[in-house]
Amino acid sequence: MLTEKSFSAGSACPRLEKGTLRHYSMRFCPFAQRSRLVLVHKKIPHETVNVDLKQKPDWLLAKSPKGKVPCIEINGKTMIESLVICEYLDEAYEPKNLLFSKDPWKKAEQKILIEQSSEILGPFYSLLRSNDGDKEASKKLRDFLHRFEKNLKGDFYGGDHPDAVDYMIWPWYERLGVLSELRDFDFSETEFPHLTGWCKRMASDETVKAIMFDDKTHVAYASSSLNGTPNYDIGLD
């Protein structure tokens, strides 16, 4: 059984059996969490190899040219980019249990919303990396959240159950507690009643619960990363 601990520079790449789907990941990477959510939701047999993204093993660069995760590999073929991977997994495995819609128009709408969700990245990480609280980033993040508050029409973006949109955007909402703890960012039920309710429902979803970390663990990882010594193996000692 593969260890959950991260493989770093100088390590040997674990042997991969023919026909086995491998997921190269990092436990706290929100992009890799996207594909982990799809793998868990669709109950796709796979193995995970976690990597040290600060001291990357050479063999990772041979599989993912920019050294990014997630990356999947099977039968000598590799694939990168989280959304590409997630769409491939959705279509290639358990096609009766699709997260992306079969309807081309509806699927396009899902992709547009997922693409728009990427606007959270700039203000989220600007605020996280600021020492005294970046007011401009905080305002941009709050404006973004208000837009997605209005876009939520039901219990989930997928209606009465999570779909691709819910799982693709969830990783950053799981980490909002980090901003609350380290940067005093207020994500309140009063200001965001729909989104905070959605967060509670998502946190109760069986797929999300299977791989999520609590605020304390996310804060510990974020703090180590901000200090320049990211601890990818928190909780594994």
Side-chain angles (χ1 to χ4, degrees):
M1 182 176 178
L2 285 171
T3 177
E4 286 190 62
K5 289 192 173 184
S6 300
F7 288 81
S8 59
S11 65
C13 183
R15 185 172 182 270
L16 178 59
E17 297 291 338
K18 184 177 180 180
T20 298
L21 175 66
R22 175 175 287 176
H23 182 239
Y24 296 96
S25 181
M26 189 277 275
R27 294 168 66 229
F28 298 101
C29 173
F31 295 99
Q33 186 178 356
R34 283 174 160 177
S35 42
R36 289 169 63 209
L37 285 165
V38 176
L39 288 163
V40 170
H41 179 79
K42 297 178 75 75
K43 298 180 173 60
I44 301 173
H46 68 284
E47 65 181 29
T48 297
V49 171
N50 288 312
V51 294
D52 183 327
L53 295 180
K54 193 172 180 67
Q55 300 182 62
K56 300 172 184 177
D58 291 340
W59 46 261
L60 175 65
L61 296 172
K63 302 173 187 300
S64 176
K66 294 183 179 180
K68 293 182 178 181
V69 294
C71 171
I72 59 172
E73 180 178 13
I74 187 168
N75 295 333
K77 298 186 294 184
T78 59
M79 184 181 296
I80 58 173
E81 300 298 339
S82 64
L83 292 180
V84 175
I85 289 171
C86 289
E87 188 171 356
Y88 164 76
L89 294 173
D90 194 39
E91 293 180 356
Y93 297 86
E94 297 297 329
K96 294 181 180 180
N97 183 26
L98 289 173
L99 290 168
F100 286 94
S101 177
K102 289 183 179 180
D103 178 78
W105 190 273
K106 173 61 176 175
K107 187 174 184 179
E109 290 181 329
Q110 289 177 306
K111 288 186 170 183
I112 289 170
L113 202 53
I114 292 169
E115 176 64 25
Q116 289 175 342
S117 76
S118 66
E119 293 175 27
I120 196 175
L121 300 180
F124 184 98
Y125 290 108
S126 291
L127 183 56
L128 179 61
R129 291 167 182 152
S130 65
N131 293 320
D132 53 357
D134 186 327
K135 292 183 179 180
E136 181 180 355
S138 181
K139 182 181 183 304
K140 287 183 178 179
L141 179 56
R142 183 158 265 101
D143 289 344
F144 167 86
L145 293 172
H146 277 297
R147 292 205 310 275
F148 267 70
E149 170 87 4
K150 293 178 181 177
N151 285 332
L152 184 59
K153 306 300 183 182
D155 285 347
F156 300 95
Y157 289 95
D160 60 359
H161 61 276
D163 71 357
V165 176
D166 296 276
Y167 288 132
M168 295 304 99
I169 71 176
W170 167 250
W172 287 273
Y173 288 87
E174 183 177 311
R175 289 157 177 78
L176 281 178
V178 174
L179 297 182
S180 298
E181 178 68 24
L182 298 181
R183 299 294 179 256
D184 200 28
F185 182 80
D186 184 24
F187 180 57
S188 69
E189 292 185 25
T190 301
E191 187 173 3
F192 303 104
H194 299 306
L195 275 180
T196 52
W198 173 79
C199 284
K200 290 178 181 178
R201 290 187 289 275
M202 286 296 290
S204 296
D205 177 72
E206 292 302 318
T207 296
V208 171
K209 287 197 298 183
I211 64 170
M212 75 180 296
F213 291 108
D214 59 20
D215 286 347
K216 181 179 179 181
T217 305
H218 275 303
V219 168
Y221 169 73
S223 297
S224 71
S225 182
L226 290 169
N227 289 332
T229 55
N231 183 352
Y232 300 116
D233 297 331
I234 289 174
L236 298 181
D237 297 328

